[in-house]
Each structure stands twice: as C-alpha cells, then as structure tokens.
Amino acid sequence: MATTWLIIGLLLICYLFWLQRKQDERAILLARHLCKKHQLQYLDCGRLQHKLERRQGRLRWLTHYSVDFSSDGESRYQGTLSLSGLQYTAFDLPAYRLPDNFPSP
C-alpha cells in the first residue's frame, strides 16, 4: 500500500512539473508577442513568484514573470507578465525611453 502512495505521489510531482514547464513556455511566447506588439526588443523572461490573488471577485492562483526588454537597443527595462494557468491576465510595463528615430503620430 505504501508503494502505491509513493508512486501516486511521484506521478503527481511529475505532472505538476510538466504543467509548470508548459506555463513557462506559454509565458515566453506571450512575452515575445507582447514586446513585438509594443515595438520593443525582447531580451529575457523568468518566473518571479506564485501568488494566490483575488481577481474579478474570484480567488486565483497567479504566476508572475519578469520580462526584460529594450526600447532603444541600449537600455534594459523590466516588466511583469501575469498568468492564471495558461491564461494571460496582465502585462505591466514601466516607463521607458523611446528611441530617437521613433515615428511620431
């Protein structure tokens, strides 16, 4: 009986690891897409923390990622990407310098 619980526990750990890797891959794809959309150069994306937060009146397990980007090829800035499962919930960018050749409206 103890061997069965050990195998079940090991399978659960493997499954949770696989889900986390899938979420990390999704975060990198989203970060690249969002940087391209905002005309920024994507540099790096890494997991910051897991948090239980209340969003839209519901308690959700969120994962926050640090997204490093550059707007001019010289400076490095750090934004935050939040995911709930594989769902995108927020992308927060700090104020950043626009390049000199940025097209004006």
Side-chain angles (χ1 to χ4, degrees):
M1 184 68 171
T3 307
T4 305
W5 285 111
L6 182 64
I7 291 172
I8 290 172
L10 186 61
L11 288 174
L12 179 64
I13 289 170
C14 290
Y15 178 70
L16 292 174
F17 177 78
W18 176 75
L19 283 179
Q20 185 61 62
R21 291 299 313 141
K22 190 173 181 180
Q23 188 179 45
D24 290 347
E25 291 170 7
R26 173 83 171 138
I28 291 170
L29 287 174
L30 275 171
R32 287 182 186 202
H33 172 75
L34 291 167
C35 283
K36 188 175 183 179
K37 179 181 174 183
H38 292 283
Q39 298 178 354
L40 300 169
Q41 179 185 3
Y42 168 83
L43 299 176
D44 193 20
C45 183
R47 189 175 340 114
L48 279 177
Q49 64 179 344
H50 296 286
K51 227 180 188 182
L52 197 58
E53 291 183 12
R54 187 171 295 280
R55 292 274 173 134
Q56 301 169 347
R58 295 179 60 190
L59 210 53
R60 296 181 183 251
W61 186 256
L62 294 178
T63 306
H64 299 283
Y65 291 87
S66 168
V67 178
D68 292 351
F69 64 93
S70 177
S71 60
D72 57 4
E74 296 175 5
S75 306
R76 186 178 190 105
Y77 300 96
Q78 195 171 65
T80 306
L81 173 66
S82 300
L83 295 179
S84 175
L86 297 177
Q87 299 291 331
Y88 158 78
T89 59
F91 186 51
D92 300 318
L93 295 175
Y96 55 88
R97 192 177 100 190
L98 293 175
D100 295 333
N101 60 355
F102 192 77
S104 57

